[in-house]
Amino acid sequence: MRTSTGSMTMLFLAAFYIAAASADEGSGYATAPWVATFSVDLDGKPGGPQETFSVRVHPEWAPEGAKRFEDIVKSGILKDARFFRVVPQFMAQFGIPGTPKVAAEWEAKTIPDDEVTQSNTRGRVTFATAGPNTRTTQMFINFGDNSFLDKQGFAPFAEVLDDGMKVVDRIQQKYREEPNQGSIQSKGNTYLETNFPDLSFVSSLMSGPAVQKVGAATNSALRSQAL
């Protein structure tokens, strides 16, 4: 059967767009806003009372940052990670895995910068950076209006939802900037538990809204699901 040049061109273009769409879907990253929930041990004592807060991740704000956060949620690397730098009226910083080997692996996985499209206002979540294209897993939650960070390249990728900042505001602040980040990287939670035993920490991080309890039962329709 003979096929005209025009028909061949149309078939080629159709195949090209189908392949491109498949590659985009194959990336596996969310392109629409989605919710993740932190469970936090505020008093730093394993097995203690848990508090939760949820964040809405916005891929349209900072695509690279949103993808990295999705990687973090899927990998589970922030279980037991401490909020190691908490400055009142400024921010709560966290994101170094508690196991040195894991921390070293992820420290090497830098991501490209995002354009800053949103401001660092109260409740916005932003990756820390040490310069151009150096973001890894460290991030912080803004306690107040830190819009002065916008011009320094700090691109928010998520926002704390509803009354979640009531939990964030209770993250342990007494150590402020005392923990040494180099020691955290090399010695992990052993260093932090010995020297700063009351640091609040992430007990779990899951995709989905917080579990809602109705009496003694749990509403399974709202149960968090791992990505």
Side-chain angles (χ1 to χ4, degrees):
M1 185 177 85
R2 297 178 62 185
T3 306
S4 67
T5 302
S7 297
M8 288 293 290
T9 301
M10 292 298 293
L11 287 170
F12 173 79
L13 288 173
F16 173 80
Y17 286 120
I18 290 172
S22 297
D24 185 60
E25 291 174 0
S27 69
Y29 289 110
T31 57
W34 55 281
V35 174
T37 297
F38 290 83
S39 290
V40 180
D41 196 315
L42 291 172
D43 65 5
K45 305 296 188 296
Q50 303 292 302
E51 298 286 349
T52 63
F53 66 90
S54 296
V55 301
R56 178 172 289 116
V57 181
H58 289 274
E60 76 277 16
W61 288 3
E64 296 299 327
K67 287 191 289 187
R68 172 47 52 91
F69 186 73
E70 191 168 335
D71 289 336
I72 289 170
V73 174
K74 288 179 177 179
S75 67
I77 60 170
L78 292 193
K79 177 176 171 53
D80 298 330
R82 267 55 180 175
F83 291 88
F84 61 85
R85 183 184 179 216
V86 185
V87 183
Q89 300 181 354
F90 182 30
M91 57 82 189
Q93 187 169 337
F94 63 106
I96 301 179
T99 303
K101 181 180 178 180
V102 177
E105 291 173 357
W106 284 83
E107 187 180 26
K109 297 179 180 180
T110 57
I111 61 173
D113 290 337
D114 281 306
E115 179 182 355
V116 179
T117 65
Q118 304 294 316
S119 189
N120 283 275
T121 52
R122 177 172 168 80
R124 295 284 171 84
V125 189
T126 305
F127 276 102
T129 178
N133 304 310
T134 58
R135 295 181 299 171
T136 56
T137 60
Q138 290 194 46
M139 66 192 84
F140 59 89
I141 303 170
N142 289 284
F143 282 136
D145 183 355
N146 297 323
S147 54
F148 69 92
L149 295 174
D150 302 349
K151 293 182 179 180
Q152 298 179 36
F154 292 93
F157 69 88
E159 60 183 331
V160 177
L161 296 177
D162 303 322
D163 60 354
M165 286 304 292
K166 291 182 179 179
V167 176
V168 176
D169 286 338
R170 293 164 55 203
I171 291 171
Q172 180 60 257
Q173 300 182 7
K174 70 179 182 180
Y175 300 118
R176 303 205 176 195
E177 299 182 84
E178 291 181 43
N180 180 276
Q181 292 189 35
S183 296
I184 302 172
Q185 287 284 161
S186 62
K187 301 176 183 177
N189 281 347
T190 299
Y191 161 73
L192 292 174
E193 290 168 359
T194 300
N195 297 281
F196 310 99
D198 296 331
L199 284 174
S200 301
F201 63 87
V202 177
S203 53
S204 70
L205 171 57
M206 307 284 284
S207 69
V211 171
Q212 300 295 317
K213 294 184 177 180
V214 181
T218 299
N219 184 346
S220 59
L222 294 177
R223 183 170 292 117
S224 299
Q225 297 292 325
L227 278 173

